[in-house]
Amino acid sequence: MSEQHFETLAIHAGQEPDEVTGAVVPPIHQVSTYKQDGVGGLRGGYEYSRSANPTRTALEENLAALEGGRRGLAFASGLAAEDCLLRTVLKPGDHLVIPDDAYGGTFRLIAKVVERWGVTWSVVHSSDPEAVRAALRPETKAVWVETPSNPLLGITDIAQIADITRSAGVLLVVDNTFASPYLQQPLALGADVVVHSTTKYMGGHSDVVGGALVARDAGLGEELAYHQNAMGAIAGPFDAWLVLRGAKTLAVRMDRHSANAARIVEMLVSHPRVSQVYYPGLESHPGHEVAAKQMRDFGGMVSFRVTEGEEAAVQVCNRAQLFTLGESLGGVESLIEHPGRMTHASVAGSALEVPADLVRLSVGIESVDDLLADLAQALG
Ligand SMILES: *Cc1c(COP(=O)(O)O)cnc(C)c1O
């Protein structure tokens, strides 16, 4: 059969109907150990569920297929995945380049934890390839990119950065959480590793915390798998099953998230109480052309600034009713939050600080008319 398309892979990759029962959905193998047929006689390679578990394997193969990589690995959270990656590829004395709009938890992991092990890092505006090139040092091991970024929806040209990292012999890591593999395929654009918080669009239903790594080549994939087992922050069987179920509807969900977000952006740009809207689908967005080139659509995340400042922005969040006030993103239900006081409070005072009058939306897949009505009343 010819290479299957994304929607088909999302539903079938890594999964066969159960051999014994014919169940069309892989079972949740809630098990820690496996009977051996004589010492060392493993059936299907499973010996202990930290090392491998069939439900997790199904998800890992699915993730690898969706990102077009050789190896997928599923973790207990996005940050557990990031920690495994950083401790696999970095050693004391190494240097890392990170973007000025990285996810707050990524920044905290690098600045507060990884740094203590003798790793140095520089912050750059990764939308500017020349700034990335200038930040490289002889001891640089990896460049970290997040596109679209959180919460300002900055866009980085993955193929252009990949040209720079490839010729410098440096690893390119892309956090693909905001786009999901349906909207953007970093490995095909030249990245070496993709990072996910599967808590967000991959899971898609705000009912699981998980993370993933997908490596472009088998060698790095093998090293990461070794560290995944050595460090132990794996996804449990039920969590793996939930993400696997989420993956099946990823394409249709992302289409609706993107369509609803586009309609909401249209309303916000002409609203008198909104001074600026951040959405890569807007032609006025500085990353619009790059986003149009490297993404299938522009996704469900939207941020905007409120004309009257911080207190007014907080009020908009508090007044929303259908948009639930809460952190996280990527679920079927719409969320609203104030990054300065919520998700990004930990980066206050750093290069990653966000505007105080900013509101961030994770646009869900409810009726867009109901979402528009709620935002209109919240803006007053
Ligand atoms: C949430 C998130 C993470 C961290 O993932 P957790 O599952 O919360 O550990 C990393 N990157 C991005 C872009 C995120 O949104």
Side-chain angles (χ1 to χ4, degrees):
M1 194 160 36
S2 63
E3 186 71 3
Q4 291 178 334
H5 294 92
F6 187 93
E7 295 84 343
T8 307
L9 291 172
I11 293 166
H12 296 287
Q15 302 159 72
E16 293 286 339
D18 185 62
E19 272 182 31
V20 178
T21 65
V24 296
V25 171
I28 302 167
H29 287 273
Q30 196 68 45
V31 66
S32 61
T33 192
Y34 306 82
K35 178 182 189 296
Q36 304 195 2
D37 295 326
V39 174
L42 304 182
R43 309 174 179 187
Y46 295 100
E47 66 182 326
Y48 182 61
S49 281
R50 170 164 33 73
S51 311
N53 169 284
T55 313
R56 196 174 93 225
T57 301
L59 171 60
E60 292 179 335
E61 289 178 3
N62 187 265
L63 289 165
L66 296 190
E67 287 287 2
R70 294 294 297 279
R71 189 74 183 254
L73 298 163
F75 293 84
S77 70
L79 284 175
E82 295 186 14
D83 182 36
C84 179
L85 171 62
L86 290 166
R87 285 201 276 161
T88 300
V89 303
L90 300 172
K91 60 180 188 326
D94 288 344
H95 174 253
L96 180 67
V97 176
I98 59 174
D100 61 6
D101 48 4
Y103 174 71
T106 301
F107 178 71
R108 183 176 55 202
L109 174 64
I110 292 165
K112 304 289 181 192
V113 181
V114 175
E115 186 187 270
R116 290 168 50 215
W117 304 99
V119 169
T120 58
W121 47 276
S122 327
V123 174
V124 301
H125 189 58
S126 66
S127 308
D128 174 6
E130 284 320 307
V132 173
R133 196 196 305 275
L136 297 180
R137 303 178 188 169
E139 65 273 23
T140 304
K141 276 289 154 57
V143 170
W144 192 286
V145 158
E146 194 182 313
T147 182
S149 70
N150 180 21
L152 294 176
L153 287 306
I155 298 293
T156 292
D157 189 328
I158 297 171
Q160 210 167 26
I161 303 294
D163 281 342
I164 296 171
T165 54
R166 199 181 308 110
S167 57
V170 164
L171 219 58
L172 176 58
V173 178
V174 176
D175 184 334
N176 203 26
T177 299
F178 266 41
S180 89
Y182 176 65
L183 296 185
Q184 178 170 276
Q185 304 252 293
L187 301 183
L189 295 167
D192 299 289
V193 190
V194 165
V195 174
H196 275 285
S197 169
T198 54
T199 314
K200 315 294 169 52
Y201 287 108
M202 288 297 312
H205 296 74
S206 305
D207 53 11
V208 63
V209 172
L213 298 175
V214 182
R216 188 156 50 113
D217 32 81
L220 179 59
E222 201 49 50
E223 271 183 69
L224 291 167
Y226 178 88
H227 283 81
Q228 179 197 37
N229 178 50
M231 292 161 62
I234 48 145
F238 184 46
D239 289 355
W241 187 87
L242 283 170
V243 176
L244 197 55
R245 184 172 70 158
K248 293 178 199 287
T249 55
L250 181 65
V252 290
R253 284 187 287 110
M254 293 314 294
D255 281 341
R256 179 62 73 88
H257 283 298
S258 302
N260 281 0
R263 287 279 306 280
I264 283 168
V265 164
E266 205 176 62
M267 182 272 253
L268 290 174
V269 291
S270 58
H271 198 284
R273 295 194 65 205
V274 173
S275 57
Q276 195 174 352
V277 181
Y278 301 87
Y279 188 64
L282 281 172
E283 272 173 40
S284 58
H285 186 290
H288 175 69
E289 271 176 41
V290 173
K293 180 183 71 171
Q294 71 187 12
M295 297 176 73
R296 190 197 292 253
D297 205 334
F298 303 105
M301 298 302 297
V302 178
S303 291
F304 61 95
R305 297 176 75 166
V306 178
T307 321
E308 296 99 336
E310 178 169 6
E311 284 312 319
V314 169
Q315 261 183 31
V316 170
C317 296
N318 287 339
R319 271 201 300 257
Q321 289 171 1
L322 181 53
F323 277 85
T324 302
L325 178 60
E327 303 198 353
S328 196
L329 60 107
V332 291
E333 62 288 293
S334 294
L335 299 174
I336 190 167
E337 68 125 355
H338 184 264
R341 293 196 192 170
M342 294 170 63
T343 50
H344 287 65
S346 69
V347 296
S350 77
L352 288 79
E353 192 172 63
V354 299
D357 55 7
L358 193 73
V359 172
R360 188 188 78 178
L361 304 177
S362 172
V363 178
I365 63 171
E366 300 96 334
S367 152
V368 74
D369 294 324
D370 295 339
L371 295 176
L372 287 166
D374 188 41
L375 272 184
Q377 71 76 24
L379 280 162

